[in-house]
Amino acid sequence: MTQGKKSGGSGNSSRAGKGSSGRSYRGKAGLTVQPKKMRGRKPSSQRWLTRQLNDPYVNETHRRGLRSRAAIKLEQMDDKFGFLRPHMHVVDLGCAPGGWLQVVSDRCRLSQGKGKLVGIDLLETESVPDAEIFVGDITEPDMLDKVSAAIGGKADAVISDMAAATTGHRPTDHLRTMGLLEIALDFADEILEPGGIFLTKAFRGGTDKVLLDALNLRFDKVRHIKPEASRAESVEMYLLATGYRGAPTAENDEID
Ligand SMILES: C[S@@+](CC[C@H](N)C(=O)[O-])C[C@H]1O[C@@H](n2cnc3c(N)ncnc32)[C@H](O)[C@@H]1O
């Protein structure tokens, strides 16, 4: 199912203002985050609430009408490495609630009518200007064809912030996210232009070397990035692979 092409606005209330990059996505007055009652909440919930309330990026997210805190991470990575360029063709894997879509739409200046942005998620994503969004699993057999048709052939960039629902058991969560990374890389192999880029969420941990080898076989350069907005205590990090050369043959691809 396709939804929400070329219409805008997030559903979240937010305060007017501009963020560190100076871009406001929404200008309504609104949200003030205040602790109401801490009593009766579990300690873990109290910690989460306190962290949220004291997190400048959460405030910035609300103030600028960004759909997710992750949007700020993408901006920070792009500020540093400048991989989002005007009029690119971009596929965003795991796009809900739409923060990365907002940033790509803006930074790739898609409102000028050139370039394409396609997002996919298991969950519904509210529409984002100049983005075409599919609801479904990226492994669905017809998903690649639908995305190719929507993007008009090949993509300049595949970006993936996909994360599996967490279990709280760190090794399991790690393996699940790494599994998604492999799936995202398979998807990229099918749709990336030579010279294209692949940005993906990853976790620091044991299986990374296999994936890194797979990336190094395909791309000219692979960088590890920990954007400032990614919490220091989190094992989350991102891999930015640039200069796609194509998938290797099955014999020398350790992932197969
Ligand atoms: C951290 S969120 C993405 C946030 C997004 N980058 C943003 O800025 O709004 C991860 C998303 O990956 C999606 N996801 C996980 N596995 C998926 C799959 N197999 N196919 C499609 N989406 C998937 C989840 O539904 C979730 O919405």
Side-chain angles (χ1 to χ4, degrees), residues 57-88:
Y57 297 118
V58 171
N59 292 332
E60 181 176 341
T61 299
H62 290 306
R63 199 177 66 243
R64 296 173 57 206
L66 290 164
R67 304 269 180 85
S68 65
R69 200 177 172 286
I72 296 173
K73 298 178 201 170
L74 181 61
E75 286 185 337
Q76 290 176 343
M77 291 189 280
D78 185 50
D79 284 346
K80 190 154 185 195
F81 297 104
F83 49 87
L84 293 176
R85 295 183 307 278
H87 312 149
M88 284 177 102

PDB file of all heavy atoms in Angstrom, residues 57-88:
ATOM      1  N   TYR A  57      18.318  17.258  22.891  1.00  0.00           N
ATOM      2  CA  TYR A  57      17.885  16.851  21.552  1.00  0.00           C
ATOM      3  C   TYR A  57      16.400  16.517  21.522  1.00  0.00           C
ATOM      4  O   TYR A  57      15.741  16.695  20.504  1.00  0.00           O
ATOM      5  CB  TYR A  57      18.723  15.671  21.052  1.00  0.00           C
ATOM      6  CG  TYR A  57      20.180  16.035  20.915  1.00  0.00           C
ATOM      7  CD1 TYR A  57      21.149  15.396  21.670  1.00  0.00           C
ATOM      8  CD2 TYR A  57      20.576  17.046  20.042  1.00  0.00           C
ATOM      9  CE1 TYR A  57      22.485  15.737  21.554  1.00  0.00           C
ATOM     10  CE2 TYR A  57      21.904  17.404  19.923  1.00  0.00           C
ATOM     11  CZ  TYR A  57      22.853  16.744  20.680  1.00  0.00           C
ATOM     12  OH  TYR A  57      24.170  17.101  20.566  1.00  0.00           O
ATOM     13  N   VAL A  58      15.877  16.017  22.627  1.00  0.00           N
ATOM     14  CA  VAL A  58      14.428  15.785  22.690  1.00  0.00           C
ATOM     15  C   VAL A  58      13.707  17.123  22.582  1.00  0.00           C
ATOM     16  O   VAL A  58      12.747  17.282  21.823  1.00  0.00           O
ATOM     17  CB  VAL A  58      14.044  15.044  23.997  1.00  0.00           C
ATOM     18  CG1 VAL A  58      12.534  14.994  24.167  1.00  0.00           C
ATOM     19  CG2 VAL A  58      14.632  13.643  24.009  1.00  0.00           C
ATOM     20  N   ASN A  59      14.212  18.117  23.317  1.00  0.00           N
ATOM     21  CA  ASN A  59      13.605  19.447  23.247  1.00  0.00           C
ATOM     22  C   ASN A  59      13.703  20.022  21.840  1.00  0.00           C
ATOM     23  O   ASN A  59      12.741  20.588  21.317  1.00  0.00           O
ATOM     24  CB  ASN A  59      14.298  20.409  24.229  1.00  0.00           C
ATOM     25  CG  ASN A  59      14.010  20.023  25.662  1.00  0.00           C
ATOM     26  OD1 ASN A  59      12.970  19.435  25.939  1.00  0.00           O
ATOM     27  ND2 ASN A  59      14.931  20.315  26.560  1.00  0.00           N
ATOM     28  N   GLU A  60      14.872  19.841  21.228  1.00  0.00           N
ATOM     29  CA  GLU A  60      15.060  20.380  19.876  1.00  0.00           C
ATOM     30  C   GLU A  60      14.108  19.697  18.893  1.00  0.00           C
ATOM     31  O   GLU A  60      13.529  20.343  18.012  1.00  0.00           O
ATOM     32  CB  GLU A  60      16.517  20.190  19.427  1.00  0.00           C
ATOM     33  CG  GLU A  60      16.757  20.767  18.040  1.00  0.00           C
ATOM     34  CD  GLU A  60      18.211  20.689  17.588  1.00  0.00           C
ATOM     35  OE1 GLU A  60      19.112  20.536  18.433  1.00  0.00           O
ATOM     36  OE2 GLU A  60      18.423  20.791  16.364  1.00  0.00           O
ATOM     37  N   THR A  61      13.950  18.389  19.065  1.00  0.00           N
ATOM     38  CA  THR A  61      13.044  17.636  18.200  1.00  0.00           C
ATOM     39  C   THR A  61      11.633  18.217  18.254  1.00  0.00           C
ATOM     40  O   THR A  61      11.004  18.480  17.230  1.00  0.00           O
ATOM     41  CB  THR A  61      13.031  16.155  18.661  1.00  0.00           C
ATOM     42  OG1 THR A  61      14.342  15.640  18.537  1.00  0.00           O
ATOM     43  CG2 THR A  61      12.092  15.322  17.836  1.00  0.00           C
ATOM     44  N   HIS A  62      11.157  18.460  19.472  1.00  0.00           N
ATOM     45  CA  HIS A  62       9.802  19.020  19.629  1.00  0.00           C
ATOM     46  C   HIS A  62       9.727  20.425  19.066  1.00  0.00           C
ATOM     47  O   HIS A  62       8.782  20.784  18.362  1.00  0.00           O
ATOM     48  CB  HIS A  62       9.402  19.031  21.105  1.00  0.00           C
ATOM     49  CG  HIS A  62       9.152  17.660  21.656  1.00  0.00           C
ATOM     50  ND1 HIS A  62       8.274  16.773  21.085  1.00  0.00           N
ATOM     51  CD2 HIS A  62       9.669  17.029  22.734  1.00  0.00           C
ATOM     52  CE1 HIS A  62       8.266  15.648  21.771  1.00  0.00           C
ATOM     53  NE2 HIS A  62       9.104  15.773  22.781  1.00  0.00           N
ATOM     54  N   ARG A  63      10.745  21.205  19.390  1.00  0.00           N
ATOM     55  CA  ARG A  63      10.717  22.623  19.008  1.00  0.00           C
ATOM     56  C   ARG A  63      10.652  22.785  17.496  1.00  0.00           C
ATOM     57  O   ARG A  63       9.966  23.657  16.986  1.00  0.00           O
ATOM     58  CB  ARG A  63      11.976  23.301  19.579  1.00  0.00           C
ATOM     59  CG  ARG A  63      11.881  24.810  19.669  1.00  0.00           C
ATOM     60  CD  ARG A  63      13.125  25.406  20.309  1.00  0.00           C
ATOM     61  NE  ARG A  63      14.303  25.234  19.496  1.00  0.00           N
ATOM     62  CZ  ARG A  63      15.373  24.534  19.846  1.00  0.00           C
ATOM     63  NH1 ARG A  63      15.412  23.917  21.018  1.00  0.00           N
ATOM     64  NH2 ARG A  63      16.411  24.434  19.045  1.00  0.00           N
ATOM     65  N   ARG A  64      11.357  21.920  16.786  1.00  0.00           N
ATOM     66  CA  ARG A  64      11.454  22.067  15.328  1.00  0.00           C
ATOM     67  C   ARG A  64      10.431  21.231  14.577  1.00  0.00           C
ATOM     68  O   ARG A  64      10.420  21.198  13.353  1.00  0.00           O
ATOM     69  CB  ARG A  64      12.866  21.682  14.881  1.00  0.00           C
ATOM     70  CG  ARG A  64      13.919  22.623  15.445  1.00  0.00           C
ATOM     71  CD  ARG A  64      15.316  22.138  15.139  1.00  0.00           C
ATOM     72  NE  ARG A  64      15.521  21.964  13.729  1.00  0.00           N
ATOM     73  CZ  ARG A  64      16.415  21.127  13.193  1.00  0.00           C
ATOM     74  NH1 ARG A  64      17.190  20.401  13.971  1.00  0.00           N
ATOM     75  NH2 ARG A  64      16.524  21.022  11.893  1.00  0.00           N
ATOM     76  N   GLY A  65       9.587  20.517  15.299  1.00  0.00           N
ATOM     77  CA  GLY A  65       8.574  19.719  14.615  1.00  0.00           C
ATOM     78  C   GLY A  65       9.164  18.525  13.885  1.00  0.00           C
ATOM     79  O   GLY A  65       8.598  18.046  12.901  1.00  0.00           O
ATOM     80  N   LEU A  66      10.306  18.058  14.361  1.00  0.00           N
ATOM     81  CA  LEU A  66      10.897  16.855  13.778  1.00  0.00           C
ATOM     82  C   LEU A  66      10.174  15.638  14.347  1.00  0.00           C
ATOM     83  O   LEU A  66       9.779  15.630  15.511  1.00  0.00           O
ATOM     84  CB  LEU A  66      12.394  16.781  14.107  1.00  0.00           C
ATOM     85  CG  LEU A  66      13.278  17.807  13.399  1.00  0.00           C
ATOM     86  CD1 LEU A  66      14.645  17.903  14.069  1.00  0.00           C
ATOM     87  CD2 LEU A  66      13.436  17.453  11.933  1.00  0.00           C
ATOM     88  N   ARG A  67      10.026  14.638  13.539  1.00  0.00           N
ATOM     89  CA  ARG A  67       9.278  13.458  13.972  1.00  0.00           C
ATOM     90  C   ARG A  67      10.062  12.590  14.949  1.00  0.00           C
ATOM     91  O   ARG A  67       9.476  11.768  15.645  1.00  0.00           O
ATOM     92  CB  ARG A  67       8.919  12.596  12.759  1.00  0.00           C
ATOM     93  CG  ARG A  67       8.158  13.307  11.677  1.00  0.00           C
ATOM     94  CD  ARG A  67       6.675  13.196  11.881  1.00  0.00           C
ATOM     95  NE  ARG A  67       6.013  13.898  10.803  1.00  0.00           N
ATOM     96  CZ  ARG A  67       5.747  13.343   9.607  1.00  0.00           C
ATOM     97  NH1 ARG A  67       6.051  12.080   9.374  1.00  0.00           N
ATOM     98  NH2 ARG A  67       5.157  14.051   8.675  1.00  0.00           N
ATOM     99  N   SER A  68      11.369  12.679  14.887  1.00  0.00           N
ATOM    100  CA  SER A  68      12.177  11.781  15.721  1.00  0.00           C
ATOM    101  C   SER A  68      13.473  12.464  16.125  1.00  0.00           C
ATOM    102  O   SER A  68      13.971  13.364  15.425  1.00  0.00           O
ATOM    103  CB  SER A  68      12.523  10.506  14.942  1.00  0.00           C
ATOM    104  OG  SER A  68      13.363  10.834  13.841  1.00  0.00           O
ATOM    105  N   ARG A  69      14.011  12.000  17.233  1.00  0.00           N
ATOM    106  CA  ARG A  69      15.331  12.424  17.682  1.00  0.00           C
ATOM    107  C   ARG A  69      16.390  11.956  16.678  1.00  0.00           C
ATOM    108  O   ARG A  69      17.434  12.576  16.497  1.00  0.00           O
ATOM    109  CB  ARG A  69      15.555  11.779  19.048  1.00  0.00           C
ATOM    110  CG  ARG A  69      16.583  12.381  19.928  1.00  0.00           C
ATOM    111  CD  ARG A  69      16.563  11.633  21.238  1.00  0.00           C
ATOM    112  NE  ARG A  69      17.669  12.042  22.063  1.00  0.00           N
ATOM    113  CZ  ARG A  69      18.921  11.674  21.847  1.00  0.00           C
ATOM    114  NH1 ARG A  69      19.226  10.892  20.838  1.00  0.00           N
ATOM    115  NH2 ARG A  69      19.876  12.110  22.648  1.00  0.00           N
ATOM    116  N   ALA A  70      16.073  10.831  16.009  1.00  0.00           N
ATOM    117  CA  ALA A  70      17.000  10.280  15.012  1.00  0.00           C
ATOM    118  C   ALA A  70      17.253  11.276  13.881  1.00  0.00           C
ATOM    119  O   ALA A  70      18.310  11.256  13.247  1.00  0.00           O
ATOM    120  CB  ALA A  70      16.448   8.979  14.443  1.00  0.00           C
ATOM    121  N   ALA A  71      16.288  12.149  13.621  1.00  0.00           N
ATOM    122  CA  ALA A  71      16.461  13.148  12.558  1.00  0.00           C
ATOM    123  C   ALA A  71      17.696  14.010  12.836  1.00  0.00           C
ATOM    124  O   ALA A  71      18.439  14.365  11.919  1.00  0.00           O
ATOM    125  CB  ALA A  71      15.213  14.017  12.454  1.00  0.00           C
ATOM    126  N   ILE A  72      17.896  14.333  14.102  1.00  0.00           N
ATOM    127  CA  ILE A  72      19.047  15.171  14.463  1.00  0.00           C
ATOM    128  C   ILE A  72      20.350  14.403  14.241  1.00  0.00           C
ATOM    129  O   ILE A  72      21.351  14.962  13.794  1.00  0.00           O
ATOM    130  CB  ILE A  72      18.916  15.678  15.916  1.00  0.00           C
ATOM    131  CG1 ILE A  72      17.674  16.580  16.008  1.00  0.00           C
ATOM    132  CG2 ILE A  72      20.170  16.423  16.362  1.00  0.00           C
ATOM    133  CD1 ILE A  72      17.319  17.010  17.406  1.00  0.00           C
ATOM    134  N   LYS A  73      20.304  13.094  14.507  1.00  0.00           N
ATOM    135  CA  LYS A  73      21.514  12.288  14.250  1.00  0.00           C
ATOM    136  C   LYS A  73      21.861  12.328  12.762  1.00  0.00           C
ATOM    137  O   LYS A  73      23.027  12.474  12.387  1.00  0.00           O
ATOM    138  CB  LYS A  73      21.285  10.827  14.673  1.00  0.00           C
ATOM    139  CG  LYS A  73      20.995  10.630  16.139  1.00  0.00           C
ATOM    140  CD  LYS A  73      20.731   9.149  16.420  1.00  0.00           C
ATOM    141  CE  LYS A  73      19.961   8.961  17.699  1.00  0.00           C
ATOM    142  NZ  LYS A  73      19.497   7.572  17.872  1.00  0.00           N
ATOM    143  N   LEU A  74      20.850  12.197  11.917  1.00  0.00           N
ATOM    144  CA  LEU A  74      21.109  12.227  10.471  1.00  0.00           C
ATOM    145  C   LEU A  74      21.681  13.584  10.064  1.00  0.00           C
ATOM    146  O   LEU A  74      22.641  13.655   9.281  1.00  0.00           O
ATOM    147  CB  LEU A  74      19.830  11.915   9.686  1.00  0.00           C
ATOM    148  CG  LEU A  74      19.986  11.902   8.162  1.00  0.00           C
ATOM    149  CD1 LEU A  74      20.981  10.825   7.707  1.00  0.00           C
ATOM    150  CD2 LEU A  74      18.640  11.686   7.464  1.00  0.00           C
ATOM    151  N   GLU A  75      21.117  14.650  10.594  1.00  0.00           N
ATOM    152  CA  GLU A  75      21.645  15.986  10.279  1.00  0.00           C
ATOM    153  C   GLU A  75      23.103  16.106  10.707  1.00  0.00           C
ATOM    154  O   GLU A  75      23.935  16.641   9.975  1.00  0.00           O
ATOM    155  CB  GLU A  75      20.823  17.059  10.994  1.00  0.00           C
ATOM    156  CG  GLU A  75      19.461  17.283  10.390  1.00  0.00           C
ATOM    157  CD  GLU A  75      18.727  18.441  11.056  1.00  0.00           C
ATOM    158  OE1 GLU A  75      19.042  18.794  12.227  1.00  0.00           O
ATOM    159  OE2 GLU A  75      17.837  18.998  10.413  1.00  0.00           O
ATOM    160  N   GLN A  76      23.403  15.611  11.904  1.00  0.00           N
ATOM    161  CA  GLN A  76      24.783  15.734  12.403  1.00  0.00           C
ATOM    162  C   GLN A  76      25.752  14.946  11.522  1.00  0.00           C
ATOM    163  O   GLN A  76      26.862  15.398  11.237  1.00  0.00           O
ATOM    164  CB  GLN A  76      24.855  15.250  13.856  1.00  0.00           C
ATOM    165  CG  GLN A  76      24.151  16.184  14.820  1.00  0.00           C
ATOM    166  CD  GLN A  76      24.142  15.665  16.249  1.00  0.00           C
ATOM    167  OE1 GLN A  76      24.383  14.474  16.501  1.00  0.00           O
ATOM    168  NE2 GLN A  76      23.860  16.545  17.200  1.00  0.00           N
ATOM    169  N   MET A  77      25.306  13.760  11.076  1.00  0.00           N
ATOM    170  CA  MET A  77      26.185  12.950  10.220  1.00  0.00           C
ATOM    171  C   MET A  77      26.388  13.647   8.881  1.00  0.00           C
ATOM    172  O   MET A  77      27.493  13.680   8.342  1.00  0.00           O
ATOM    173  CB  MET A  77      25.597  11.547  10.043  1.00  0.00           C
ATOM    174  CG  MET A  77      25.638  10.733  11.335  1.00  0.00           C
ATOM    175  SD  MET A  77      25.195   8.992  11.114  1.00  0.00           S
ATOM    176  CE  MET A  77      23.417   9.042  11.077  1.00  0.00           C
ATOM    177  N   ASP A  78      25.298  14.210   8.356  1.00  0.00           N
ATOM    178  CA  ASP A  78      25.414  14.904   7.069  1.00  0.00           C
ATOM    179  C   ASP A  78      26.218  16.197   7.204  1.00  0.00           C
ATOM    180  O   ASP A  78      26.964  16.567   6.296  1.00  0.00           O
ATOM    181  CB  ASP A  78      24.012  15.178   6.507  1.00  0.00           C
ATOM    182  CG  ASP A  78      24.080  15.796   5.123  1.00  0.00           C
ATOM    183  OD1 ASP A  78      24.809  15.242   4.272  1.00  0.00           O
ATOM    184  OD2 ASP A  78      23.437  16.834   4.890  1.00  0.00           O
ATOM    185  N   ASP A  79      26.060  16.883   8.341  1.00  0.00           N
ATOM    186  CA  ASP A  79      26.863  18.098   8.558  1.00  0.00           C
ATOM    187  C   ASP A  79      28.349  17.765   8.461  1.00  0.00           C
ATOM    188  O   ASP A  79      29.150  18.535   7.941  1.00  0.00           O
ATOM    189  CB  ASP A  79      26.576  18.705   9.942  1.00  0.00           C
ATOM    190  CG  ASP A  79      25.241  19.431   9.985  1.00  0.00           C
ATOM    191  OD1 ASP A  79      24.668  19.695   8.912  1.00  0.00           O
ATOM    192  OD2 ASP A  79      24.755  19.701  11.109  1.00  0.00           O
ATOM    193  N   LYS A  80      28.710  16.589   8.988  1.00  0.00           N
ATOM    194  CA  LYS A  80      30.124  16.222   9.028  1.00  0.00           C
ATOM    195  C   LYS A  80      30.621  15.669   7.687  1.00  0.00           C
ATOM    196  O   LYS A  80      31.722  15.981   7.248  1.00  0.00           O
ATOM    197  CB  LYS A  80      30.332  15.184  10.131  1.00  0.00           C
ATOM    198  CG  LYS A  80      31.764  14.899  10.427  1.00  0.00           C
ATOM    199  CD  LYS A  80      31.959  14.403  11.839  1.00  0.00           C
ATOM    200  CE  LYS A  80      33.451  14.241  12.114  1.00  0.00           C
ATOM    201  NZ  LYS A  80      33.711  13.454  13.285  1.00  0.00           N
ATOM    202  N   PHE A  81      29.798  14.855   7.035  1.00  0.00           N
ATOM    203  CA  PHE A  81      30.303  14.145   5.842  1.00  0.00           C
ATOM    204  C   PHE A  81      29.647  14.584   4.532  1.00  0.00           C
ATOM    205  O   PHE A  81      30.102  14.168   3.460  1.00  0.00           O
ATOM    206  CB  PHE A  81      30.151  12.634   6.032  1.00  0.00           C
ATOM    207  CG  PHE A  81      30.981  12.113   7.178  1.00  0.00           C
ATOM    208  CD1 PHE A  81      30.401  11.777   8.382  1.00  0.00           C
ATOM    209  CD2 PHE A  81      32.366  12.012   7.047  1.00  0.00           C
ATOM    210  CE1 PHE A  81      31.169  11.326   9.447  1.00  0.00           C
ATOM    211  CE2 PHE A  81      33.141  11.558   8.108  1.00  0.00           C
ATOM    212  CZ  PHE A  81      32.544  11.215   9.317  1.00  0.00           C
ATOM    213  N   GLY A  82      28.578  15.378   4.613  1.00  0.00           N
ATOM    214  CA  GLY A  82      28.004  15.991   3.416  1.00  0.00           C
ATOM    215  C   GLY A  82      27.580  15.017   2.336  1.00  0.00           C
ATOM    216  O   GLY A  82      27.867  15.225   1.156  1.00  0.00           O
ATOM    217  N   PHE A  83      26.892  13.962   2.722  1.00  0.00           N
ATOM    218  CA  PHE A  83      26.503  12.953   1.722  1.00  0.00           C
ATOM    219  C   PHE A  83      25.122  13.208   1.120  1.00  0.00           C
ATOM    220  O   PHE A  83      24.780  12.605   0.106  1.00  0.00           O
ATOM    221  CB  PHE A  83      26.573  11.540   2.323  1.00  0.00           C
ATOM    222  CG  PHE A  83      25.886  11.387   3.652  1.00  0.00           C
ATOM    223  CD1 PHE A  83      24.533  11.097   3.727  1.00  0.00           C
ATOM    224  CD2 PHE A  83      26.599  11.540   4.832  1.00  0.00           C
ATOM    225  CE1 PHE A  83      23.903  10.972   4.945  1.00  0.00           C
ATOM    226  CE2 PHE A  83      25.974  11.420   6.068  1.00  0.00           C
ATOM    227  CZ  PHE A  83      24.621  11.127   6.127  1.00  0.00           C
ATOM    228  N   LEU A  84      24.309  14.067   1.716  1.00  0.00           N
ATOM    229  CA  LEU A  84      22.990  14.377   1.139  1.00  0.00           C
ATOM    230  C   LEU A  84      23.147  15.566   0.203  1.00  0.00           C
ATOM    231  O   LEU A  84      23.529  16.659   0.636  1.00  0.00           O
ATOM    232  CB  LEU A  84      21.977  14.693   2.253  1.00  0.00           C
ATOM    233  CG  LEU A  84      21.616  13.531   3.172  1.00  0.00           C
ATOM    234  CD1 LEU A  84      20.674  13.990   4.289  1.00  0.00           C
ATOM    235  CD2 LEU A  84      20.983  12.373   2.393  1.00  0.00           C
ATOM    236  N   ARG A  85      22.888  15.313  -1.052  1.00  0.00           N
ATOM    237  CA  ARG A  85      23.092  16.369  -2.046  1.00  0.00           C
ATOM    238  C   ARG A  85      21.774  16.672  -2.764  1.00  0.00           C
ATOM    239  O   ARG A  85      20.878  15.823  -2.807  1.00  0.00           O
ATOM    240  CB  ARG A  85      24.159  15.930  -3.049  1.00  0.00           C
ATOM    241  CG  ARG A  85      25.540  15.768  -2.407  1.00  0.00           C
ATOM    242  CD  ARG A  85      26.597  15.410  -3.449  1.00  0.00           C
ATOM    243  NE  ARG A  85      26.234  14.251  -4.248  1.00  0.00           N
ATOM    244  CZ  ARG A  85      26.395  12.986  -3.873  1.00  0.00           C
ATOM    245  NH1 ARG A  85      26.920  12.703  -2.688  1.00  0.00           N
ATOM    246  NH2 ARG A  85      26.021  11.994  -4.662  1.00  0.00           N
ATOM    247  N   PRO A  86      21.675  17.852  -3.353  1.00  0.00           N
ATOM    248  CA  PRO A  86      20.420  18.210  -4.023  1.00  0.00           C
ATOM    249  C   PRO A  86      20.034  17.199  -5.096  1.00  0.00           C
ATOM    250  O   PRO A  86      20.888  16.682  -5.814  1.00  0.00           O
ATOM    251  CB  PRO A  86      20.733  19.573  -4.661  1.00  0.00           C
ATOM    252  CG  PRO A  86      21.821  20.128  -3.822  1.00  0.00           C
ATOM    253  CD  PRO A  86      22.639  18.961  -3.360  1.00  0.00           C
ATOM    254  N   HIS A  87      18.744  16.895  -5.121  1.00  0.00           N
ATOM    255  CA  HIS A  87      18.111  16.110  -6.197  1.00  0.00           C
ATOM    256  C   HIS A  87      18.556  14.653  -6.244  1.00  0.00           C
ATOM    257  O   HIS A  87      18.518  14.023  -7.295  1.00  0.00           O
ATOM    258  CB  HIS A  87      18.335  16.795  -7.554  1.00  0.00           C
ATOM    259  CG  HIS A  87      18.018  18.266  -7.517  1.00  0.00           C
ATOM    260  ND1 HIS A  87      18.664  19.200  -8.295  1.00  0.00           N
ATOM    261  CD2 HIS A  87      17.132  18.974  -6.776  1.00  0.00           C
ATOM    262  CE1 HIS A  87      18.199  20.408  -8.034  1.00  0.00           C
ATOM    263  NE2 HIS A  87      17.261  20.298  -7.107  1.00  0.00           N
ATOM    264  N   MET A  88      18.968  14.132  -5.108  1.00  0.00           N
ATOM    265  CA  MET A  88      19.325  12.702  -5.061  1.00  0.00           C
ATOM    266  C   MET A  88      18.083  11.827  -5.109  1.00  0.00           C
ATOM    267  O   MET A  88      16.976  12.262  -4.794  1.00  0.00           O
ATOM    268  CB  MET A  88      20.050  12.387  -3.743  1.00  0.00           C
ATOM    269  CG  MET A  88      21.472  12.832  -3.661  1.00  0.00           C
ATOM    270  SD  MET A  88      22.123  12.441  -2.019  1.00  0.00           S
ATOM    271  CE  MET A  88      23.068  10.994  -2.387  1.00  0.00           C
TER     272      MET A  88
END
